[in-house]
Amino acid sequence: MMINRILAEFLKIKRQPELRIVLSVFLLFILFIFFQKGMNRQSGFYSPELLNAQYLSSFNLLLICLVGFIPVVVIGSFISGIEYKNNTNVFTITSTGRIYSVLVKIITLIFTILLLVLSMVLLGIIESLLIIPKKNIYIEWSILIPQLLTTFLDLLGSAFLGFLCTVLTKKIYGGIIFAVILPLIIERISFYVPYFQYFTFDYYSLS
């Protein structure tokens, strides 16, 4: 039953054109950076001795940490607020229960972010095969696994922020705007009240 509900949530968000547009733009940006670092010899990213699956996967994970905030906020907001958007929230709650419905959405969010992070590693492997097709795939798991975990937790925190803001506002776009603005406000306050730095994502993700 739980698996069917999670698959149903995936189908709901898959059918949202706005979400597809955001993720498509994000993917195009990732691919653009790939061509810059892997194919352009004039680029500062081009380092032939480092162009292997390990380097490219790590680079993609770093990249998604730096620029993935808004895409994962959008994902979290859509998973949380799809029922509000389609005016089906009451039906969902009465058919499965409020707590169970929220639990399914949280698990769906976790799986979505995990798939997104793993896709960056897969993309790194594909990139290495495209650039140097005859070179063996080299991955140092002792380095990559901590990077995977760190990236996953960093993005999941941002996605949960979008999820919670949408729950509070009961509107997808209201949740997205609030989730994007709130960290900026807290970061600004932390300049004057240092204690607030412990509530910023940068404090936990910079290293």
Side-chain angles (χ1 to χ4, degrees), residues 72 106 109-110 113 151-161:
V72 297
I106 289 175
L109 179 61
I110 292 172
I113 300 302
T151 304
F152 172 70
L153 293 176
D154 183 63
L155 295 180
L156 188 61
S158 300
F160 265 125
L161 179 62

Side-chain angles (χ1 to χ4, degrees), residues 13-199:
I13 60 174
K14 181 181 177 182
R15 294 172 179 171
Q16 301 305 309
E18 304 98 318
L19 184 58
R20 290 203 301 267
I21 291 172
V22 170
L23 293 180
S24 296
V25 171
F26 178 68
L27 178 61
L28 288 174
F29 178 77
I30 295 289
L31 292 175
F32 170 75
I33 295 298
F34 158 63
F35 284 109
Q36 280 295 100
K37 72 177 185 289
M39 306 299 287
N40 183 5
R41 293 177 181 270
Q42 305 304 317
S43 171
F45 295 120
Y46 188 81
S47 304
E49 69 279 5
L50 294 176
L51 291 180
N52 53 51
Q54 170 66 58
Y55 170 75
L56 294 170
S57 297
S58 295
F59 190 94
N60 288 340
L61 291 175
L62 174 62
L63 188 63
I64 197 176
C65 274
L66 295 175
V67 302
F69 173 73
I70 291 181
V72 297
V73 163
V74 172
I75 290 173
S77 296
F78 266 88
I79 290 176
S80 174
I82 194 69
E83 312 300 343
Y84 298 115
K85 184 174 184 291
N86 296 330
N87 294 319
T88 56
N89 190 52
V90 175
F91 300 105
T92 302
I93 291 173
T94 54
S95 63
T96 62
R98 184 184 297 273
I99 295 177
Y100 185 79
S101 177
V102 172
L103 179 62
V104 169
K105 290 180 181 296
I106 289 175
I107 294 174
T108 303
L109 179 61
I110 292 172
F111 273 113
T112 302
I113 300 302
L114 180 61
L115 289 173
L116 181 62
V117 172
L118 291 176
S119 70
M120 291 296 102
V121 176
L122 178 61
L123 181 61
I125 294 173
I126 294 173
E127 288 171 349
S128 68
L129 293 175
L130 289 174
I131 297 173
I132 312 174
K134 295 182 179 180
K135 192 169 184 177
N136 292 331
I137 295 176
Y138 170 76
I139 293 180
E140 192 169 341
W141 293 106
S142 61
I143 294 177
L144 191 60
I145 289 177
Q147 291 175 342
L148 273 168
L149 181 60
T150 303
T151 304
F152 172 70
L153 293 176
D154 183 63
L155 295 180
L156 188 61
S158 300
F160 265 125
L161 179 62
F163 187 96
L164 292 174
C165 287
T166 299
V167 169
L168 293 174
T169 61
K170 293 183 171 55
K171 292 184 181 298
I172 289 179
Y173 299 111
I176 292 173
I177 293 172
F178 191 56
V180 170
I181 292 176
L182 183 61
L184 299 177
I185 295 175
I186 295 177
E187 185 177 352
R188 180 58 58 181
I189 294 175
S190 68
F191 286 115
Y192 306 100
V193 184
Y195 177 76
F196 276 87
Q197 68 178 319
Y198 300 111
F199 298 95

